[in-house]
Amino acid sequence: MDHTHRGTALITGASSGIGAIYADRLARRGYDLILVARNRDKLNALASRITDETHREVEVLDADLNDRQSLAAVEHKLRQDASITLLVNNAGVGTHTPLLDSDVEQMTQMIELNVTALTRLTYAAVPGFVARGKGTIINISSITSIAPEVLNGVYGASKAFVLAFSQSLHHELAGKGIRVQAVLPGATATDFWALGGLPVEHLDPAIVMPATDMVDAALAGLDQGELITIPSLHAIETWQVYEDARRAMSGQLSRNVPAPRYATAR
Ligand code: NAP
């Protein structure tokens, strides 16, 4: 148990799964907590267990991040509470269904939570972090951000937004003392799967990681200063090749003439 006081961590989606493990681990690392999700009973139970075990301050903020008024209350908290040094944008939903079997209203709700709420909470936190010259943002993306064919396409695209947004945040804010980390979990054993219509027991156990191991690995990646952490990727050099190719290409992506392969017969 670390008794250094590291400020307060605000964690969204803290009532279960990955978010609840972050709450436990961050309290043990010396953070006070603000736990955000819809299920107040689960948040209260987690808060009292963590307070008993770690003696950290734990505040519960029940909020439906799909509801603009509730979301605004969390944004307000991030703007006015200068003790907040860490934002964990973890709340999210997903599914495996293809486009033809998916309801566009549900897809829109997913974008509102996975993309819009995460964006608004980041916009609320960053100015204070910059003014105080320190702050950390952990954004929970997914391996589907780079493998969008794996699950539902809107889910993968929402997580690709989280990855690209994190890369841009790092680019803009690293020089201002702000740490950014995007975490790309593979399949992780949480309620996420059952809620999305495919219980985790239906997956090959060889691809499913316990949530505790995933979060501990992600925090090790944070400690190592990583911008992108992919806990299940053993061959990290494959990511490096991918990232190097992206960076090498980026200087060639804007030109005043089309590539010769698009020359048309006039
Ligand atoms: P989970 O156990 O279902 O947790 C999701 C959390 O989000 C819960 O605490 C839930 O709490 C909260 N939440 C859902 N809708 C919300 C809303 N409208 N407003 C506020 N909070 C809401 O699933 P998980 O696996 O831990 O998911 C956490 C993150 O990991 C998600 O962003 C997910 O996309 C990502 N991820 C998961 C996996 C995986 O295989 N499990 C893989 C890659 C990425 P309430 O129901 O109490 O609101």
Short mmCIF file of all heavy atoms in Angstrom, two decimals, residues 18 92-97 142-144 150-152 155 185-203 207-209:
data_model
loop_
_atom_site.label_atom_id
_atom_site.label_comp_id
_atom_site.label_asym_id
_atom_site.label_seq_id
_atom_site.Cartn_x
_atom_site.Cartn_y
_atom_site.Cartn_z
N ILE A 18 -13.60 -3.48 -15.46
CA ILE A 18 -12.30 -2.84 -15.53
C ILE A 18 -12.25 -1.59 -14.64
O ILE A 18 -11.27 -1.36 -13.91
CB ILE A 18 -11.98 -2.49 -17.01
CG1 ILE A 18 -11.77 -3.79 -17.80
CG2 ILE A 18 -10.79 -1.55 -17.13
CD1 ILE A 18 -11.75 -3.62 -19.33
N GLY A 92 -18.04 2.49 -21.01
CA GLY A 92 -18.26 2.21 -22.42
C GLY A 92 -19.11 0.96 -22.58
O GLY A 92 -19.19 0.13 -21.67
N VAL A 93 -19.75 0.86 -23.74
CA VAL A 93 -20.52 -0.35 -24.06
C VAL A 93 -20.11 -0.80 -25.46
O VAL A 93 -19.54 -0.04 -26.24
CB VAL A 93 -22.05 -0.09 -24.03
CG1 VAL A 93 -22.53 0.15 -22.61
CG2 VAL A 93 -22.44 1.07 -24.95
N GLY A 94 -20.41 -2.08 -25.74
CA GLY A 94 -20.09 -2.61 -27.06
C GLY A 94 -20.96 -3.79 -27.39
O GLY A 94 -21.72 -4.27 -26.54
N THR A 95 -20.85 -4.25 -28.62
CA THR A 95 -21.57 -5.44 -29.04
C THR A 95 -20.83 -6.08 -30.20
O THR A 95 -19.87 -5.50 -30.72
CB THR A 95 -23.03 -5.09 -29.42
OG1 THR A 95 -23.69 -6.29 -29.84
CG2 THR A 95 -23.10 -4.07 -30.54
N HIS A 96 -21.26 -7.28 -30.57
CA HIS A 96 -20.60 -7.99 -31.66
C HIS A 96 -21.45 -8.01 -32.92
O HIS A 96 -21.05 -8.53 -33.95
CB HIS A 96 -20.30 -9.42 -31.23
CG HIS A 96 -21.56 -10.21 -30.99
ND1 HIS A 96 -22.37 -9.98 -29.91
CD2 HIS A 96 -22.16 -11.17 -31.72
CE1 HIS A 96 -23.41 -10.78 -29.97
NE2 HIS A 96 -23.32 -11.51 -31.06
N THR A 97 -22.66 -7.44 -32.86
CA THR A 97 -23.61 -7.61 -33.97
C THR A 97 -23.19 -6.86 -35.24
O THR A 97 -22.72 -5.73 -35.17
CB THR A 97 -25.01 -7.10 -33.56
OG1 THR A 97 -24.87 -5.77 -33.06
CG2 THR A 97 -25.64 -7.98 -32.51
N SER A 142 -9.59 -0.04 -27.22
CA SER A 142 -9.79 -1.49 -27.41
C SER A 142 -8.91 -1.92 -28.57
O SER A 142 -8.56 -1.10 -29.43
CB SER A 142 -11.26 -1.73 -27.76
OG SER A 142 -11.43 -2.98 -28.41
N ILE A 143 -8.60 -3.22 -28.62
CA ILE A 143 -7.86 -3.71 -29.80
C ILE A 143 -8.70 -3.55 -31.07
O ILE A 143 -8.15 -3.53 -32.17
CB ILE A 143 -7.43 -5.19 -29.66
CG1 ILE A 143 -8.63 -6.07 -29.34
CG2 ILE A 143 -6.34 -5.34 -28.61
CD1 ILE A 143 -8.54 -7.45 -29.93
N THR A 144 -10.03 -3.40 -30.92
CA THR A 144 -10.86 -3.21 -32.11
C THR A 144 -10.59 -1.87 -32.79
O THR A 144 -11.00 -1.65 -33.92
CB THR A 144 -12.37 -3.33 -31.78
OG1 THR A 144 -12.70 -2.31 -30.82
CG2 THR A 144 -12.71 -4.68 -31.21
N VAL A 150 -13.24 -7.16 -36.07
CA VAL A 150 -13.43 -8.20 -35.05
C VAL A 150 -14.84 -8.20 -34.44
O VAL A 150 -15.46 -9.24 -34.27
CB VAL A 150 -12.37 -8.05 -33.94
CG1 VAL A 150 -12.66 -8.97 -32.77
CG2 VAL A 150 -10.98 -8.37 -34.49
N LEU A 151 -15.35 -7.03 -34.06
CA LEU A 151 -16.69 -6.95 -33.43
C LEU A 151 -17.58 -6.03 -34.25
O LEU A 151 -17.35 -5.84 -35.45
CB LEU A 151 -16.56 -6.46 -31.98
CG LEU A 151 -15.82 -7.37 -30.98
CD1 LEU A 151 -15.72 -6.70 -29.61
CD2 LEU A 151 -16.53 -8.72 -30.84
N ASN A 152 -18.57 -5.46 -33.61
CA ASN A 152 -19.46 -4.50 -34.28
C ASN A 152 -18.65 -3.31 -34.81
O ASN A 152 -17.78 -2.78 -34.12
CB ASN A 152 -20.51 -4.07 -33.25
CG ASN A 152 -21.34 -2.90 -33.70
OD1 ASN A 152 -20.95 -1.76 -33.53
ND2 ASN A 152 -22.49 -3.17 -34.25
N TYR A 155 -18.73 -0.01 -32.81
CA TYR A 155 -17.91 -0.14 -31.59
C TYR A 155 -16.44 0.06 -31.94
O TYR A 155 -15.75 0.87 -31.31
CB TYR A 155 -18.13 -1.52 -30.95
CG TYR A 155 -17.26 -1.73 -29.72
CD1 TYR A 155 -17.46 -0.96 -28.58
CD2 TYR A 155 -16.21 -2.65 -29.73
CE1 TYR A 155 -16.64 -1.13 -27.46
CE2 TYR A 155 -15.40 -2.81 -28.61
CZ TYR A 155 -15.62 -2.04 -27.49
OH TYR A 155 -14.81 -2.19 -26.39
N PRO A 185 -7.35 -2.97 -24.55
CA PRO A 185 -7.51 -4.34 -24.07
C PRO A 185 -8.01 -5.25 -25.19
O PRO A 185 -8.77 -4.81 -26.06
CB PRO A 185 -8.59 -4.22 -22.97
CG PRO A 185 -8.76 -2.76 -22.72
CD PRO A 185 -8.37 -2.07 -23.98
N GLY A 186 -7.57 -6.50 -25.15
CA GLY A 186 -8.25 -7.54 -25.93
C GLY A 186 -9.44 -8.01 -25.11
O GLY A 186 -9.85 -7.35 -24.15
N ALA A 187 -9.99 -9.17 -25.45
CA ALA A 187 -11.15 -9.68 -24.70
C ALA A 187 -10.79 -9.80 -23.22
O ALA A 187 -9.78 -10.40 -22.87
CB ALA A 187 -11.57 -11.03 -25.26
N THR A 188 -11.63 -9.21 -22.39
CA THR A 188 -11.38 -9.17 -20.94
C THR A 188 -12.63 -9.69 -20.25
O THR A 188 -13.75 -9.36 -20.67
CB THR A 188 -11.07 -7.72 -20.51
OG1 THR A 188 -10.04 -7.20 -21.35
CG2 THR A 188 -10.63 -7.63 -19.07
N ALA A 189 -12.45 -10.49 -19.21
CA ALA A 189 -13.58 -11.17 -18.57
C ALA A 189 -14.38 -10.20 -17.69
O ALA A 189 -14.05 -10.01 -16.51
CB ALA A 189 -13.08 -12.35 -17.75
N THR A 190 -15.38 -9.56 -18.28
CA THR A 190 -16.26 -8.65 -17.54
C THR A 190 -17.69 -8.84 -18.06
O THR A 190 -17.93 -9.57 -19.02
CB THR A 190 -15.89 -7.16 -17.77
OG1 THR A 190 -16.19 -6.84 -19.13
CG2 THR A 190 -14.42 -6.88 -17.48
N ASP A 191 -18.62 -8.06 -17.46
CA ASP A 191 -20.03 -8.10 -17.88
C ASP A 191 -20.24 -7.54 -19.28
O ASP A 191 -21.32 -7.69 -19.86
CB ASP A 191 -20.90 -7.27 -16.92
CG ASP A 191 -20.89 -7.85 -15.52
OD1 ASP A 191 -20.49 -9.02 -15.36
OD2 ASP A 191 -21.28 -7.11 -14.58
N PHE A 192 -19.24 -6.81 -19.80
CA PHE A 192 -19.30 -6.19 -21.12
C PHE A 192 -19.88 -7.15 -22.16
O PHE A 192 -20.73 -6.78 -22.96
CB PHE A 192 -17.87 -5.78 -21.51
CG PHE A 192 -17.67 -5.35 -22.93
CD1 PHE A 192 -17.80 -4.01 -23.27
CD2 PHE A 192 -17.30 -6.26 -23.91
CE1 PHE A 192 -17.58 -3.60 -24.58
CE2 PHE A 192 -17.08 -5.85 -25.22
CZ PHE A 192 -17.22 -4.53 -25.55
N TRP A 193 -19.40 -8.41 -22.11
CA TRP A 193 -19.77 -9.37 -23.15
C TRP A 193 -21.23 -9.77 -23.03
O TRP A 193 -21.95 -9.78 -24.02
CB TRP A 193 -18.83 -10.59 -23.07
CG TRP A 193 -17.46 -10.21 -23.51
CD1 TRP A 193 -16.43 -9.81 -22.72
CD2 TRP A 193 -17.00 -10.12 -24.86
NE1 TRP A 193 -15.35 -9.48 -23.49
CE2 TRP A 193 -15.66 -9.67 -24.81
CE3 TRP A 193 -17.57 -10.38 -26.11
CZ2 TRP A 193 -14.90 -9.47 -25.96
CZ3 TRP A 193 -16.81 -10.20 -27.25
CH2 TRP A 193 -15.49 -9.75 -27.17
N ALA A 194 -21.68 -10.11 -21.82
CA ALA A 194 -23.08 -10.52 -21.65
C ALA A 194 -24.01 -9.36 -21.98
O ALA A 194 -25.04 -9.54 -22.64
CB ALA A 194 -23.30 -10.99 -20.22
N LEU A 195 -23.61 -8.14 -21.57
CA LEU A 195 -24.45 -6.98 -21.85
C LEU A 195 -24.55 -6.73 -23.35
O LEU A 195 -25.57 -6.23 -23.84
CB LEU A 195 -23.89 -5.73 -21.14
CG LEU A 195 -24.01 -5.74 -19.61
CD1 LEU A 195 -23.21 -4.60 -19.00
CD2 LEU A 195 -25.48 -5.63 -19.21
N GLY A 196 -23.49 -7.07 -24.08
CA GLY A 196 -23.49 -6.89 -25.53
C GLY A 196 -24.10 -8.05 -26.29
O GLY A 196 -24.14 -8.05 -27.52
N GLY A 197 -24.58 -9.08 -25.56
CA GLY A 197 -25.29 -10.18 -26.21
C GLY A 197 -24.47 -11.41 -26.48
O GLY A 197 -24.95 -12.35 -27.13
N LEU A 198 -23.21 -11.45 -26.02
CA LEU A 198 -22.35 -12.62 -26.24
C LEU A 198 -21.59 -12.91 -24.94
O LEU A 198 -20.53 -12.34 -24.70
CB LEU A 198 -21.36 -12.33 -27.38
CG LEU A 198 -20.32 -13.41 -27.71
CD1 LEU A 198 -20.99 -14.66 -28.28
CD2 LEU A 198 -19.29 -12.87 -28.73
N PRO A 199 -22.16 -13.80 -24.07
CA PRO A 199 -21.49 -14.07 -22.79
C PRO A 199 -20.04 -14.50 -23.00
O PRO A 199 -19.73 -15.22 -23.95
CB PRO A 199 -22.32 -15.21 -22.18
CG PRO A 199 -23.65 -15.07 -22.83
CD PRO A 199 -23.40 -14.55 -24.22
N VAL A 200 -19.16 -14.04 -22.11
CA VAL A 200 -17.72 -14.24 -22.27
C VAL A 200 -17.37 -15.74 -22.29
O VAL A 200 -16.38 -16.15 -22.89
CB VAL A 200 -16.96 -13.46 -21.17
CG1 VAL A 200 -17.08 -14.12 -19.80
CG2 VAL A 200 -15.50 -13.24 -21.54
N GLU A 201 -18.24 -16.57 -21.68
CA GLU A 201 -18.00 -18.02 -21.65
C GLU A 201 -18.04 -18.61 -23.06
O GLU A 201 -17.56 -19.72 -23.30
CB GLU A 201 -19.05 -18.74 -20.77
CG GLU A 201 -19.01 -18.39 -19.29
CD GLU A 201 -19.56 -16.99 -18.96
OE1 GLU A 201 -20.35 -16.45 -19.77
OE2 GLU A 201 -19.19 -16.44 -17.90
N HIS A 202 -18.63 -17.90 -24.01
CA HIS A 202 -18.72 -18.39 -25.39
C HIS A 202 -17.44 -18.13 -26.18
O HIS A 202 -17.32 -18.56 -27.32
CB HIS A 202 -19.91 -17.76 -26.12
CG HIS A 202 -21.24 -18.18 -25.57
ND1 HIS A 202 -22.38 -18.30 -26.34
CD2 HIS A 202 -21.61 -18.51 -24.31
CE1 HIS A 202 -23.39 -18.69 -25.57
NE2 HIS A 202 -22.95 -18.82 -24.34
N LEU A 203 -16.50 -17.38 -25.58
CA LEU A 203 -15.25 -17.09 -26.29
C LEU A 203 -14.23 -18.17 -25.98
O LEU A 203 -14.30 -18.84 -24.95
CB LEU A 203 -14.70 -15.73 -25.85
CG LEU A 203 -15.59 -14.51 -26.04
CD1 LEU A 203 -14.85 -13.26 -25.57
CD2 LEU A 203 -16.01 -14.36 -27.49
N ILE A 207 -8.16 -16.48 -25.46
CA ILE A 207 -8.07 -15.06 -25.84
C ILE A 207 -8.65 -14.14 -24.76
O ILE A 207 -8.73 -12.93 -24.97
CB ILE A 207 -8.75 -14.78 -27.20
CG1 ILE A 207 -10.27 -15.01 -27.13
CG2 ILE A 207 -8.11 -15.61 -28.32
CD1 ILE A 207 -11.05 -14.26 -28.20
N VAL A 208 -9.10 -14.71 -23.63
CA VAL A 208 -9.77 -13.88 -22.62
C VAL A 208 -8.86 -13.67 -21.40
O VAL A 208 -8.42 -14.63 -20.78
CB VAL A 208 -11.10 -14.52 -22.15
CG1 VAL A 208 -11.79 -13.63 -21.12
CG2 VAL A 208 -12.02 -14.78 -23.34
N MET A 209 -8.62 -12.41 -21.07
CA MET A 209 -7.74 -12.08 -19.94
C MET A 209 -8.59 -11.72 -18.71
O MET A 209 -9.60 -11.02 -18.85
CB MET A 209 -6.85 -10.89 -20.33
CG MET A 209 -5.71 -10.62 -19.36
SD MET A 209 -4.68 -9.22 -19.87
CE MET A 209 -3.81 -9.91 -21.27
#
